[in-house]
Amino acid sequence: METTLAVAVFIISYVFIMSEKINRALVALAGGVFMLLSGIYSWEEAFTSFIDWSTITLLFSMMVLVSITKKTGLFEYIAILLAQKVKGAPIPLLIVTGVLTAIGSALLDNVTTVLLFVPILLTLTSKLNLPVFPYLLTVILCANIGGTATLIGDPPNIMIGQAVEHFTFMSFLVHLGPVVFLIFVTTLGGLVFLFRKSLVMGEGDQVRSMMEIDPSSYLKKTPMLYQSVSVLSLTILGFLLHAFVHVELTTVAVCGAILLLLLTEREADTEKVFEEVEWITLFFFMGLFMLVGGLEQVGVIDELARGMIWVTEGDLPSTALMILWISGLFSGIVDNIPFVAAMIPVIKEFQSYGMTNLDPLWWSLALGACLGGNGTLIGASANVVVAGLASSARHPIGFLKFIAYGMPVVLFSLVVCTVYIWFRYLVPFMQASM
C-alpha cells in the first residue's frame, strides 16, 4: 500500500511540475508533506536522511557570494568585455558560452559554474537584445556534459570517487574525458546549427555602442569590489584544492559566504543579501529530495537497481550497458544524487557474483547519471538553478520546451557512451575471457 501511494504521489507531483500551472516548489513541498501525513516517513527521517542539506547549503552559500558580487558591477564588466571580444556576434558568443561553461563545470562543480555565469549571460543578452533561451539551454547542457569529465564536476562523480578508493581526479579525466569531449563538441555544434537563424546580429548602432563602452566604467571601485573578487577567488581555489586539503566543498562555500558577509556588512546589508537568495529554488530542492526520499523509503529505487542483477544474471557487458541506460534515463526523471546513492552498494555487491573488475560498471554509472541529467529541468542540480535564475529575471524556461531539446541530447550521449564503453572496456574483457 505504501509503495503504491508513494509512486502515485510522485507521479501526480511530477505531472503538476511539468504543467507549470502551480509553483513547482509548492508542488514538490506539498508532495513531500503528503508523504509525511501518510506515514511513509517521519519528519526526522526527511530531515536527516532524505534532504541533502550539503547540496542545499552549497547552493545557498554560492547564491550569497553571487548576490554580493553582483552589486559591484563585476558581472556587467565581464559581460561587456566578453561581448567586445566576439564583437557582438551571437554565434561566436554561443560557442564561447558553451566552452567556458564546460571548462568551468569540469574545474569547479557545475552548480557553482552556472551560479557565476548565468547572471553575466542575462546581462549580456539584454544589452545585445538577443534571445535568452538558446544561451541558457547551452549553459545547462554544457554544464552537465563538462561536469561529467572530472571527480569534482558533478555530485554523482564525487559520490563515486568517495566509494571507490583507487579512483583519483586523473582517473576520471583519463577514463571519462575523451568521450565527454566528443559529446561536448557534437552537442555544441548541434546547438549552433539549431539556433543559427534566431541568433542574428543586432542593429549596427546597438553593437557599435557596445564596442565603444568602457567595461571598467561599470565597476564600482569600492572596498566591496576587491573584497568580493578576493573571497570569490579564494572560494574557487578552495574548490580546486578541496581533495588535497580534505575540506568539503560545502564547507569551503559556507566559509566564503560568511567571510564576505562579514567584510561587506557596511556596504551590503545582510538582510537585503538574504532577500535576493533564490529561496524558491532551495525549497524546490527540499521538496524534490522529499519526493524521491519517499520512493527510496518504500524500496522502489533499490528494487530497480537490484532488478538489473536479476535481468543480466551477473554478466559484465550486459550489466554495464544496462546501468548506463537505466541511470541515464532515470536521472532525467529524478535527481541523479539519490539514484547514485542507491546504486553504489548494489554495484559493490556484484563482486559476490564473481565480477573482479567493477570499473566498467562505475564508469557506466558516472556517464549515465551525469549525462542523463540533461533530460529534464529537474534532472540535475544545475538545471534547477539555471531555471530559478531565469525565472527571477523574467525569462522562464518551459518544462516541456526544455525536454524537446534535452532528451535528444541525452539519447545521443547514451548512444555515444555505449559505443565508447563497448570498445574501450567490454571488448578487451570479452577477449580476455575467451
Side-chain angles (χ1 to χ4, degrees):
M1 179 62 184
E2 281 190 345
T3 302
T4 305
L5 186 61
V7 172
V9 171
F10 180 84
I11 291 173
I12 292 170
S13 300
Y14 198 79
V15 168
F16 273 102
I17 290 170
M18 289 178 64
S19 70
E20 300 179 311
K21 292 182 178 179
I22 304 175
N23 185 285
R24 57 186 178 168
L26 185 58
V27 171
L29 287 170
V33 170
F34 189 84
M35 288 190 180
L36 283 167
L37 291 172
S38 304
I40 292 173
Y41 51 67
S42 63
W43 270 114
E44 185 179 356
E45 288 173 321
F47 273 72
T48 59
S49 301
F50 300 136
I51 298 177
D52 188 345
W53 292 109
S54 180
T55 299
I56 299 293
T57 308
L58 173 65
L59 289 172
F60 171 78
S61 301
M62 291 309 300
M63 287 174 181
V64 169
L65 285 168
V66 170
S67 175
I68 296 173
T69 306
K70 191 162 56 175
K71 298 177 187 297
T72 67
L74 180 65
F75 294 137
E76 285 87 349
Y77 169 77
I78 296 173
I80 293 170
L81 203 62
L82 185 61
Q84 290 179 342
K85 291 293 182 182
V86 299
K87 298 181 180 179
I91 290 179
L93 181 61
L94 187 78
I95 294 171
V96 170
T97 296
V99 171
L100 290 180
T101 303
I103 293 173
S105 297
L107 296 178
L108 306 174
D109 68 291
N110 49 21
V111 172
T112 303
T113 300
V114 299
L115 276 168
L116 293 172
F117 201 66
V118 169
I120 297 173
L121 206 53
L122 290 171
T123 302
L124 197 53
T125 51
S126 174
K127 290 186 179 297
L128 290 173
N129 197 27
L130 293 172
V132 180
F133 178 74
Y135 294 93
L136 294 179
L137 178 67
T138 300
V139 165
I140 293 175
L141 297 180
C142 292
N144 289 320
I145 293 171
T148 308
T150 65
L151 171 63
I152 61 172
D154 211 2
N157 283 3
I158 296 173
M159 296 164 68
I160 292 169
Q162 291 172 338
V164 188
E165 291 183 3
H166 64 274
F167 282 179
T168 63
F169 188 91
M170 287 306 297
S171 298
F172 279 82
L173 201 57
V174 169
H175 287 274
L176 304 185
V179 68
V180 167
F181 179 76
L182 176 61
I183 292 170
F184 166 72
V185 171
T186 311
T187 301
L188 189 58
L191 289 170
V192 170
F193 178 78
L194 281 174
F195 294 111
R196 68 192 188 284
K197 293 182 179 179
S198 61
L199 297 177
V200 181
M201 181 83 79
E203 297 177 6
D205 293 341
Q206 205 170 25
V207 176
R208 195 178 304 111
S209 62
M210 171 69 72
M211 297 300 293
E212 292 173 355
I213 295 174
D214 177 14
S216 61
S217 64
Y218 281 83
L219 293 173
K220 298 175 182 177
K221 298 176 183 177
T222 63
M224 188 166 70
L225 170 63
Y226 306 105
Q227 291 161 347
S228 298
V229 172
S230 300
V231 173
L232 199 57
S233 301
L234 284 172
T235 304
I236 293 172
L237 182 63
F239 287 150
L240 293 173
L241 299 177
H242 85 103
F244 302 101
V245 297
H246 304 292
V247 178
E248 292 183 356
L249 293 172
T250 303
T251 305
V252 173
V254 169
C255 291
I258 292 175
L259 177 60
L260 190 55
L261 282 168
L262 288 170
L263 291 174
T264 60
E265 172 62 21
R266 291 185 178 180
E267 286 190 71
D269 183 61
T270 303
E271 289 186 13
K272 290 183 179 179
V273 172
F274 283 174
E275 285 175 5
E276 294 176 7
V277 168
E278 296 294 326
W279 293 107
I280 292 295
T281 300
L282 296 180
F283 279 107
F284 176 65
F285 265 106
M286 292 180 199
L288 191 61
F289 282 132
M290 291 170 72
L291 282 173
V292 177
L295 297 183
E296 194 175 345
Q297 179 74 1
V298 298
V300 170
I301 292 177
D302 196 46
E303 281 302 312
L304 176 66
R306 293 183 187 280
M308 295 181 196
I309 304 176
W310 182 78
V311 171
T312 63
E313 298 180 343
D315 177 62
L316 179 65
S318 301
T319 305
L321 295 181
M322 179 168 279
I323 287 175
L324 172 70
W325 280 87
I326 292 293
S327 59
L329 297 176
F330 202 76
S331 294
I333 300 172
V334 300
D335 193 276
N336 48 24
I337 294 172
F339 181 80
V340 171
M343 281 298 299
I344 285 173
V346 174
I347 291 180
K348 287 184 175 181
E349 284 182 16
F350 283 4
Q351 286 181 323
S352 63
Y353 286 78
M355 292 188 190
T356 54
N357 179 21
L358 299 180
D359 286 7
L361 306 185
W362 293 120
W363 299 133
S364 296
L365 178 62
L367 287 169
C370 295
L371 295 172
N374 276 330
T376 70
L377 266 184
I378 62 172
S381 305
N383 308 19
V384 179
V385 173
V386 173
L389 293 172
S391 181
S392 65
R394 297 181 181 178
H395 294 290
I397 301 173
F399 195 96
L400 295 177
K401 184 179 181 181
F402 180 85
I403 290 177
Y405 291 95
M407 196 54 74
V409 171
V410 169
L411 295 175
F412 167 76
S413 301
L414 293 178
V415 169
V416 173
C417 289
T418 299
V419 176
Y420 177 77
I421 289 171
W422 181 262
F423 284 102
R424 178 156 184 179
Y425 304 109
L426 303 183
V427 168
F429 169 78
M430 290 186 292
Q431 289 174 343
S433 301
M434 292 175 64

